[in-house]
Each structure stands twice: as structure tokens, then as C-alpha cells.
Amino acid sequence: MQEEYLPSRRSNLIFILLITINLFFLTSHLNVYVKTLKYFLYYIFNPSPSVAEKVVESSGNILKNISEIVNVHQENAVLRKEIEKYTYLEKDFLNISGENERLKKILNLDFPIKYKPIIARVIERESLSWFEWISIDKGYEDGLYSDAPVLAWAEERLVALGRVWEVYSRSAKIILITNVLCSLPVEIKDTKEDGLIDGKNNNILRLNYLLPESFLKPGDEVVTSPISQVFPAGITVGYVKEIFAPVKTSTLKEGTVKPAFISNSLKMVAVLISRQKEKNAQ
């Protein structure tokens, strides 16, 4: 008896649910999507031609709306790509404008009259040789040659950086003055005392061959010497950091110098090309 009652109850619940759905559709203000669903349900229970026509008509409107939505979505995707492209172009423009301003400031610096500056970009600098070498994007096709002096700039003034070590067609390797293989004759700007700078593969230079009676003091500016075979005279090398008294085995003083070039800001450099050498080459 109970088993017969359960199917009957289930059928009644389904009937009540369908009646409720139909009443909802009949009494509600429906949009086109719900109307289509309503006609479709009508068609299931009453598959007449008139109901089928209403289903087709409503679904046609839905397909048209879906097509319009897809088109709008595609247009938005294209517009987003265009916006991204113009965003990148704006960034490139700002970068180029900034670089042009830097180049203008560089070219307005007071370069030695006997030299022509070749502005080059630093293209390689390895962490293991940070204070030893850099590579630039200019080579012998641009007029570079071995031992040409290389300058950087700090606080809108030219400072010694290194010299050309190896030259290739469109690139060159530069040995920095902080390289242990590099030595440079210098003088103290104010007192004209002579000395010799040696690199130590770090951010400090060694200053050698100072006389015992030297009046050198921390903060003194060190510049390239007139006897240098690479650099023109008077280019800033760095500033005295410490002075050491002579050791027992020597009568000469020594000291340390902080380089003037800013190690972590080497993006562009200037290679000095002798105008006389350039003229002879022509």
C-alpha cells in the first residue's frame, strides 16, 4: 500500500511544480530570453505550429543579440590591443625624449678641444668583473682605436673612466681605471703633486709614490697628469680618501682615492678620438 502511494505522491508533486512554473510564466513580466523558454516549454506540452513559430521568432532575436554581444566583445578586444600599443609607444617616446635630453647635456659638456667625443651605450657588464670591464656599442667602424681614453660624467662634469682595450667592428671592451691591470699617472689638482693610481678591482683606487713632505689631505681632487699617454691633462679621477704614513721599508707615502665616476650609473660613456689621428687616418 505504501509503495503504491509514493509514485502517486511523486506524480502529484511534479504536476504542482509544472502548474507553478506555468503560472509564473503567465503572470510575470518577462524578458526575451525567459519568453523564449516559456514558448519552448509550451511547445513541449503543446507542439502546435503557432507555438513553434513563436519559439523560432524569439530564438531569432536571441541569436541576433548574441551576435551583437560577440561583435562588441571583439571590438573591445581590438580596442584594448590598440590602447596597449599606444601605451607602449608613449613609454618609448618618453624614454627616447629622456635619452635625447641626456645626450644634449652630455654634448654641452666641456670636452678637450683636441678630441672628438663618440657617445656610446654600455651593452655589457658582468657582476664578476664589475670594477674591471665594460662593453660598449661602438667599434672601429665608428672610429675607435686601442688605448683611446674613455670618460663618464658625474654632477655634470667629465671624469676619467678607463681606456679602450679591445676593438671590434661595432663594439669595444673598456678596461676601467679600477681594474688591477690599470695604472694611471695623476696629480693633485691644487698642489700639483705627482702620483700614480693603481686599480684594486673594487671601488677604491690606490695612490702611490707620494713624497714624505706631501701636503695631501682627504678630500683633495686628483686629476689626470700632463705626462699621461692616454688621457688629456686635468680630467678628474677622484678624491683623496685616506693618507698612510711611510712604512719602514719605504720613504714614500701612500693613500686611497675614491673614483669620481658613479659605478652604478654607467649607462652611456664618451670615447675621446684624437682629431689628429682621425685626420691622419683620412
Short mmCIF file of all heavy atoms in Angstrom, two decimals, residues 94-132:
data_model
loop_
_atom_site.label_atom_id
_atom_site.label_comp_id
_atom_site.label_asym_id
_atom_site.label_seq_id
_atom_site.Cartn_x
_atom_site.Cartn_y
_atom_site.Cartn_z
N LEU A 94 58.66 58.60 -24.26
CA LEU A 94 59.21 59.21 -23.05
C LEU A 94 60.66 58.79 -22.84
O LEU A 94 61.51 59.61 -22.45
CB LEU A 94 58.36 58.83 -21.84
CG LEU A 94 56.94 59.41 -21.80
CD1 LEU A 94 56.16 58.86 -20.61
CD2 LEU A 94 56.97 60.93 -21.76
N ASN A 95 60.95 57.50 -23.11
CA ASN A 95 62.34 57.03 -22.97
C ASN A 95 63.26 57.72 -23.96
O ASN A 95 64.37 58.13 -23.60
CB ASN A 95 62.40 55.51 -23.16
CG ASN A 95 61.77 54.75 -22.01
OD1 ASN A 95 61.70 55.25 -20.90
ND2 ASN A 95 61.29 53.55 -22.28
N ILE A 96 62.81 57.83 -25.21
CA ILE A 96 63.63 58.47 -26.23
C ILE A 96 63.81 59.95 -25.91
O ILE A 96 64.92 60.51 -26.06
CB ILE A 96 62.99 58.30 -27.62
CG1 ILE A 96 63.04 56.82 -28.03
CG2 ILE A 96 63.70 59.16 -28.66
CD1 ILE A 96 62.29 56.50 -29.30
N SER A 97 62.75 60.59 -25.45
CA SER A 97 62.86 62.01 -25.09
C SER A 97 63.85 62.21 -23.94
O SER A 97 64.67 63.13 -23.96
CB SER A 97 61.48 62.55 -24.68
OG SER A 97 60.57 62.48 -25.74
N GLY A 98 63.77 61.32 -22.93
CA GLY A 98 64.72 61.40 -21.82
C GLY A 98 66.15 61.18 -22.26
O GLY A 98 67.07 61.88 -21.81
N GLU A 99 66.33 60.22 -23.18
CA GLU A 99 67.69 59.96 -23.68
C GLU A 99 68.21 61.13 -24.49
O GLU A 99 69.39 61.49 -24.40
CB GLU A 99 67.68 58.69 -24.54
CG GLU A 99 69.06 58.26 -24.99
CD GLU A 99 69.04 56.88 -25.60
OE1 GLU A 99 68.36 55.99 -25.06
OE2 GLU A 99 69.73 56.68 -26.63
N ASN A 100 67.34 61.76 -25.29
CA ASN A 100 67.76 62.94 -26.05
C ASN A 100 68.19 64.08 -25.13
O ASN A 100 69.16 64.80 -25.41
CB ASN A 100 66.63 63.41 -26.97
CG ASN A 100 66.45 62.49 -28.17
OD1 ASN A 100 67.36 61.77 -28.54
ND2 ASN A 100 65.26 62.52 -28.76
N GLU A 101 67.46 64.26 -24.04
CA GLU A 101 67.83 65.30 -23.08
C GLU A 101 69.19 65.00 -22.46
O GLU A 101 70.01 65.91 -22.27
CB GLU A 101 66.76 65.42 -21.98
CG GLU A 101 65.45 66.04 -22.45
CD GLU A 101 65.64 67.46 -22.97
OE1 GLU A 101 66.41 68.20 -22.34
OE2 GLU A 101 65.03 67.80 -23.99
N ARG A 102 69.41 63.72 -22.13
CA ARG A 102 70.72 63.35 -21.56
C ARG A 102 71.84 63.59 -22.57
O ARG A 102 72.92 64.08 -22.21
CB ARG A 102 70.70 61.89 -21.12
CG ARG A 102 69.87 61.63 -19.87
CD ARG A 102 70.12 60.23 -19.32
NE ARG A 102 69.66 59.20 -20.23
CZ ARG A 102 68.44 58.69 -20.21
NH1 ARG A 102 67.55 59.14 -19.35
NH2 ARG A 102 68.09 57.73 -21.06
N LEU A 103 71.58 63.25 -23.84
CA LEU A 103 72.60 63.46 -24.88
C LEU A 103 72.90 64.94 -25.06
O LEU A 103 74.06 65.32 -25.26
CB LEU A 103 72.13 62.84 -26.20
CG LEU A 103 72.16 61.31 -26.28
CD1 LEU A 103 71.52 60.84 -27.57
CD2 LEU A 103 73.60 60.81 -26.18
N LYS A 104 71.87 65.77 -24.99
CA LYS A 104 72.09 67.22 -25.12
C LYS A 104 72.99 67.72 -23.99
O LYS A 104 73.92 68.51 -24.21
CB LYS A 104 70.76 67.96 -25.09
CG LYS A 104 69.94 67.80 -26.36
CD LYS A 104 68.62 68.55 -26.24
CE LYS A 104 67.77 68.36 -27.49
NZ LYS A 104 66.45 69.05 -27.38
N LYS A 105 72.72 67.25 -22.76
CA LYS A 105 73.54 67.67 -21.62
C LYS A 105 74.97 67.18 -21.78
O LYS A 105 75.92 67.89 -21.47
CB LYS A 105 72.94 67.14 -20.32
CG LYS A 105 71.61 67.80 -19.93
CD LYS A 105 71.08 67.23 -18.63
CE LYS A 105 69.77 67.90 -18.24
NZ LYS A 105 69.22 67.35 -16.97
N ILE A 106 75.12 65.95 -22.28
CA ILE A 106 76.46 65.38 -22.46
C ILE A 106 77.24 66.18 -23.48
O ILE A 106 78.40 66.54 -23.27
CB ILE A 106 76.36 63.90 -22.87
CG1 ILE A 106 75.79 63.06 -21.73
CG2 ILE A 106 77.72 63.36 -23.27
CD1 ILE A 106 75.36 61.67 -22.14
N LEU A 107 76.59 66.46 -24.62
CA LEU A 107 77.29 67.18 -25.70
C LEU A 107 77.60 68.62 -25.33
O LEU A 107 78.47 69.25 -25.94
CB LEU A 107 76.45 67.13 -26.97
CG LEU A 107 76.30 65.72 -27.59
CD1 LEU A 107 75.35 65.76 -28.79
CD2 LEU A 107 77.66 65.17 -28.02
N ASN A 108 76.91 69.15 -24.33
CA ASN A 108 77.20 70.51 -23.87
C ASN A 108 78.34 70.56 -22.85
O ASN A 108 78.74 71.64 -22.43
CB ASN A 108 75.94 71.13 -23.25
CG ASN A 108 74.91 71.50 -24.30
OD1 ASN A 108 75.25 71.80 -25.44
ND2 ASN A 108 73.63 71.50 -23.92
N LEU A 109 78.84 69.38 -22.46
CA LEU A 109 79.97 69.36 -21.54
C LEU A 109 81.23 69.86 -22.23
O LEU A 109 81.34 69.87 -23.46
CB LEU A 109 80.18 67.93 -21.01
CG LEU A 109 79.04 67.36 -20.15
CD1 LEU A 109 79.31 65.89 -19.82
CD2 LEU A 109 78.89 68.16 -18.86
N ASP A 110 82.18 70.27 -21.43
CA ASP A 110 83.41 70.89 -21.94
C ASP A 110 84.44 69.81 -22.29
O ASP A 110 85.34 69.50 -21.49
CB ASP A 110 83.96 71.86 -20.89
CG ASP A 110 85.08 72.71 -21.46
OD1 ASP A 110 85.21 72.78 -22.70
OD2 ASP A 110 85.84 73.30 -20.66
N PHE A 111 84.33 69.24 -23.49
CA PHE A 111 85.28 68.21 -23.93
C PHE A 111 86.60 68.86 -24.36
O PHE A 111 86.60 69.99 -24.86
CB PHE A 111 84.69 67.41 -25.10
CG PHE A 111 83.60 66.46 -24.70
CD1 PHE A 111 82.27 66.83 -24.81
CD2 PHE A 111 83.90 65.21 -24.21
CE1 PHE A 111 81.26 65.96 -24.44
CE2 PHE A 111 82.90 64.33 -23.84
CZ PHE A 111 81.57 64.71 -23.96
N PRO A 112 87.71 68.15 -24.16
CA PRO A 112 89.00 68.68 -24.62
C PRO A 112 88.96 68.99 -26.11
O PRO A 112 88.45 68.20 -26.91
CB PRO A 112 89.98 67.54 -24.32
CG PRO A 112 89.33 66.77 -23.21
CD PRO A 112 87.85 66.86 -23.47
N ILE A 113 89.47 70.13 -26.49
CA ILE A 113 89.32 70.63 -27.85
C ILE A 113 90.03 69.75 -28.89
O ILE A 113 89.63 69.70 -30.07
CB ILE A 113 89.83 72.09 -27.94
CG1 ILE A 113 89.38 72.71 -29.26
CG2 ILE A 113 91.35 72.13 -27.77
CD1 ILE A 113 89.62 74.20 -29.34
N LYS A 114 91.08 69.03 -28.48
CA LYS A 114 91.82 68.21 -29.43
C LYS A 114 91.19 66.84 -29.67
O LYS A 114 91.73 66.03 -30.42
CB LYS A 114 93.27 68.02 -28.94
CG LYS A 114 94.08 69.31 -28.92
CD LYS A 114 95.50 69.03 -28.47
CE LYS A 114 96.33 70.31 -28.46
NZ LYS A 114 97.75 70.06 -28.03
N TYR A 115 90.06 66.61 -29.04
CA TYR A 115 89.41 65.30 -29.16
C TYR A 115 87.96 65.45 -29.63
O TYR A 115 87.29 66.43 -29.32
CB TYR A 115 89.41 64.58 -27.81
CG TYR A 115 90.79 64.19 -27.32
CD1 TYR A 115 91.57 65.10 -26.62
CD2 TYR A 115 91.31 62.93 -27.56
CE1 TYR A 115 92.83 64.76 -26.15
CE2 TYR A 115 92.56 62.57 -27.10
CZ TYR A 115 93.32 63.49 -26.39
OH TYR A 115 94.57 63.14 -25.94
N LYS A 116 87.51 64.44 -30.36
CA LYS A 116 86.11 64.37 -30.75
C LYS A 116 85.43 63.28 -29.91
O LYS A 116 85.89 62.14 -29.89
CB LYS A 116 85.97 64.03 -32.23
CG LYS A 116 84.51 63.98 -32.71
CD LYS A 116 84.42 63.62 -34.17
CE LYS A 116 84.61 62.13 -34.39
NZ LYS A 116 84.33 61.73 -35.79
N PRO A 117 84.36 63.60 -29.20
CA PRO A 117 83.69 62.59 -28.37
C PRO A 117 82.79 61.68 -29.20
O PRO A 117 82.03 62.15 -30.05
CB PRO A 117 82.88 63.42 -27.38
CG PRO A 117 82.58 64.69 -28.11
CD PRO A 117 83.76 64.96 -29.01
N ILE A 118 82.89 60.39 -28.97
CA ILE A 118 81.98 59.40 -29.54
C ILE A 118 81.13 58.87 -28.38
O ILE A 118 81.66 58.20 -27.49
CB ILE A 118 82.73 58.24 -30.22
CG1 ILE A 118 83.64 58.77 -31.34
CG2 ILE A 118 81.75 57.21 -30.76
CD1 ILE A 118 82.91 59.37 -32.51
N ILE A 119 79.85 59.20 -28.39
CA ILE A 119 78.97 58.76 -27.31
C ILE A 119 78.55 57.31 -27.57
O ILE A 119 78.09 56.97 -28.65
CB ILE A 119 77.72 59.65 -27.21
CG1 ILE A 119 78.13 61.12 -27.11
CG2 ILE A 119 76.88 59.25 -26.01
CD1 ILE A 119 79.03 61.44 -25.94
N ALA A 120 78.75 56.46 -26.57
CA ALA A 120 78.45 55.03 -26.71
C ALA A 120 77.60 54.55 -25.55
O ALA A 120 77.66 55.11 -24.45
CB ALA A 120 79.74 54.22 -26.79
N ARG A 121 76.83 53.51 -25.82
CA ARG A 121 75.98 52.91 -24.80
C ARG A 121 76.68 51.68 -24.21
O ARG A 121 77.28 50.88 -24.94
CB ARG A 121 74.65 52.51 -25.40
CG ARG A 121 73.61 52.04 -24.39
CD ARG A 121 72.39 51.46 -25.11
NE ARG A 121 71.85 52.43 -26.05
CZ ARG A 121 71.01 53.40 -25.72
NH1 ARG A 121 70.62 53.51 -24.46
NH2 ARG A 121 70.57 54.24 -26.62
N VAL A 122 76.59 51.52 -22.90
CA VAL A 122 77.14 50.32 -22.25
C VAL A 122 76.18 49.16 -22.53
O VAL A 122 74.99 49.23 -22.24
CB VAL A 122 77.28 50.53 -20.72
CG1 VAL A 122 77.76 49.25 -20.06
CG2 VAL A 122 78.26 51.68 -20.44
N ILE A 123 76.71 48.09 -23.14
CA ILE A 123 75.86 46.96 -23.53
C ILE A 123 76.14 45.71 -22.72
O ILE A 123 75.36 44.75 -22.77
CB ILE A 123 76.02 46.65 -25.03
CG1 ILE A 123 77.48 46.35 -25.38
CG2 ILE A 123 75.48 47.80 -25.87
CD1 ILE A 123 77.69 45.91 -26.80
N GLU A 124 77.23 45.70 -21.96
CA GLU A 124 77.52 44.51 -21.16
C GLU A 124 78.40 44.89 -19.97
O GLU A 124 79.34 45.68 -20.10
CB GLU A 124 78.25 43.44 -21.99
CG GLU A 124 78.49 42.14 -21.25
CD GLU A 124 79.19 41.10 -22.11
OE1 GLU A 124 79.62 41.43 -23.24
OE2 GLU A 124 79.32 39.95 -21.65
N ARG A 125 78.03 44.30 -18.83
CA ARG A 125 78.83 44.50 -17.61
C ARG A 125 78.55 43.33 -16.69
O ARG A 125 77.44 43.19 -16.17
CB ARG A 125 78.47 45.82 -16.93
CG ARG A 125 79.47 46.23 -15.85
CD ARG A 125 79.09 47.57 -15.24
NE ARG A 125 80.08 48.01 -14.29
CZ ARG A 125 79.93 49.03 -13.46
NH1 ARG A 125 78.81 49.74 -13.49
NH2 ARG A 125 80.89 49.37 -12.61
N GLU A 126 79.53 42.49 -16.50
CA GLU A 126 79.32 41.26 -15.73
C GLU A 126 79.57 41.51 -14.25
O GLU A 126 80.46 42.28 -13.87
CB GLU A 126 80.23 40.15 -16.25
CG GLU A 126 79.94 39.77 -17.70
CD GLU A 126 80.85 38.67 -18.19
OE1 GLU A 126 81.70 38.21 -17.39
OE2 GLU A 126 80.72 38.26 -19.35
N SER A 127 78.81 40.81 -13.42
CA SER A 127 78.91 41.00 -11.97
C SER A 127 80.28 40.58 -11.43
O SER A 127 80.79 41.18 -10.49
CB SER A 127 77.80 40.20 -11.26
OG SER A 127 77.90 38.82 -11.58
N LEU A 128 80.86 39.54 -12.02
CA LEU A 128 82.16 39.06 -11.53
C LEU A 128 83.31 40.00 -11.90
O LEU A 128 84.39 39.90 -11.33
CB LEU A 128 82.44 37.66 -12.08
CG LEU A 128 81.47 36.55 -11.61
CD1 LEU A 128 81.83 35.22 -12.26
CD2 LEU A 128 81.50 36.42 -10.08
N SER A 129 83.08 40.90 -12.85
CA SER A 129 84.13 41.86 -13.25
C SER A 129 83.56 43.28 -13.24
O SER A 129 83.84 44.07 -14.13
CB SER A 129 84.67 41.50 -14.63
OG SER A 129 83.62 41.43 -15.58
N TRP A 130 82.75 43.56 -12.23
CA TRP A 130 82.02 44.82 -12.16
C TRP A 130 82.94 46.03 -12.19
O TRP A 130 82.61 47.05 -12.81
CB TRP A 130 81.19 44.82 -10.88
CG TRP A 130 80.17 45.92 -10.79
CD1 TRP A 130 80.23 47.05 -10.04
CD2 TRP A 130 78.90 45.96 -11.46
NE1 TRP A 130 79.10 47.80 -10.20
CE2 TRP A 130 78.25 47.15 -11.07
CE3 TRP A 130 78.26 45.10 -12.36
CZ2 TRP A 130 77.00 47.51 -11.55
CZ3 TRP A 130 77.00 45.46 -12.83
CH2 TRP A 130 76.40 46.66 -12.42
N PHE A 131 84.07 45.95 -11.51
CA PHE A 131 85.01 47.07 -11.45
C PHE A 131 86.21 46.87 -12.37
O PHE A 131 87.24 47.53 -12.21
CB PHE A 131 85.51 47.27 -10.01
CG PHE A 131 84.43 47.70 -9.06
CD1 PHE A 131 83.80 46.77 -8.23
CD2 PHE A 131 84.01 49.02 -9.00
CE1 PHE A 131 82.80 47.16 -7.35
CE2 PHE A 131 83.01 49.41 -8.13
CZ PHE A 131 82.40 48.49 -7.31
N GLU A 132 86.07 45.96 -13.36
CA GLU A 132 87.19 45.65 -14.24
C GLU A 132 86.92 46.02 -15.70
O GLU A 132 87.78 46.64 -16.34
CB GLU A 132 87.53 44.17 -14.13
CG GLU A 132 87.90 43.73 -12.71
CD GLU A 132 88.04 42.23 -12.59
OE1 GLU A 132 88.67 41.62 -13.48
OE2 GLU A 132 87.50 41.65 -11.63
#
